[in-house]
Every structure is written in C-alpha cells, then in structure tokens.
Amino acid sequence: MKTLYSLLIVLALSGCAITRSPASDAAVTDVASTGLGIALGAAEANPIGLVTIPLKIALLAHAETLPDGEKQEAQTTLSAVWNGAAVNNVCAVAVIISGGAASLPCLLVGGAYGMWEYTSTKANQMQAEFAAMCIQARQETPGMKCFYKGQAL
C-alpha cells in the first residue's frame, strides 16, 4: 500500500512540473500515468514502450520550431492525444485498483476526452485568431465592429 501512495503522490506532483506548453503538460501526465499503471501491474499497450519518451521530447521540440498557426495546431494535437492517453491510463489504474476487468471503456473514455479537448481548444484558437484579425482591421478602419458567433469583440 505504501508503494501505491508513493506513486499517487508522484503522479500528483507531476502536475506541478514547470513546462512550456499544455502539450508538455500532457506529455508529463501521460508518462506519469503510464508509470503508475505499470507499477500496479498493467501491461504497456504501446508497442514502442519507453521509446515514446524521447519521441515526445522530439515532437515537442519540433512543434516549437514551426511557424505560428502550425505550432499551435501541432501543440493542440499533441496535447489532445497525450491527455486522452493519460485519461485512458488513469481509467485503467482505477480498473486495477477496484479489481474490475472492463478496460475497454477506458479506451473509449480516453479517446472521447482527447477529441473533446482538441475541438474545444481549436475553437478557442479560432476565436483568438479572429480577434487578432479584427484588431488589425480596426487599425485600418477605426470604429469597425467585429462579431464572433454573435458576440461583439
């Protein structure tokens, strides 16, 4: 039981890690939740296993080099995928701890969360891009009114 508490503390503290972006946070959360699951006896479902850690670092570094727009798209996608995987991992840990055997719903919950995060983040990015375009257009046309989905900006 001490090991379980230690692992839960490590997982909780991983959320306090200072990272550069939500995608970095998601990578840390995915790795930490995977580690917790493995420590509790879950099998790693990813065929490349530990190779995912340097791969995540490389993908995050590459995303930073992309031009604006592409960079945010890459980070949004990475964040959604890795947070979806982390939700799946936490669900699998809950199944192990509770003694249940139904892990298929975990895949569905993780996938659904990843899709939800991607679409909600993408919507926020689109609104921010529109607001930036509006600010630029107002410099050329003072007094211009901008509306995004019926709301004045």
Side-chain angles (χ1 to χ4, degrees), residues 32-144:
S33 60
T34 298
L36 178 60
I38 290 171
L40 291 173
E44 171 59 83
N46 192 326
I48 60 174
L50 289 175
V51 175
T52 62
I53 295 172
L55 182 60
K56 285 178 176 148
I57 293 168
L59 287 169
L60 289 167
H62 175 68
E64 287 292 326
T65 66
L66 296 173
D68 280 344
E70 290 179 35
K71 174 178 158 179
Q72 289 79 3
E73 177 67 26
Q75 289 176 335
T76 298
T77 302
L78 293 173
S79 180
V81 168
W82 292 333
N83 274 329
V87 168
N88 171 62
N89 295 340
V90 170
C91 184
V93 166
V95 168
I96 292 168
I97 291 173
S98 68
S103 60
L104 179 61
C106 293
L107 293 173
L108 299 175
V109 169
Y113 178 83
M115 289 171 44
W116 171 83
E117 180 180 317
Y118 179 82
T119 55
S120 64
T121 303
K122 190 68 177 161
N124 289 340
Q125 286 177 348
M126 288 173 60
Q127 183 174 1
E129 288 174 18
F130 182 81
M133 288 188 295
C134 182
I135 289 169
Q136 186 177 8
R138 282 182 181 154
Q139 291 173 352
E140 297 171 13
T141 312
M144 183 179 91

Side-chain angles (χ1 to χ4, degrees), residues 3-25:
T3 304
L4 177 59
Y5 288 130
S6 299
L7 290 170
L8 289 174
I9 289 169
V10 168
L11 181 58
L13 291 176
S14 72
C16 299
I18 297 171
T19 60
R20 299 169 110 175
S21 68
S24 299
D25 295 342

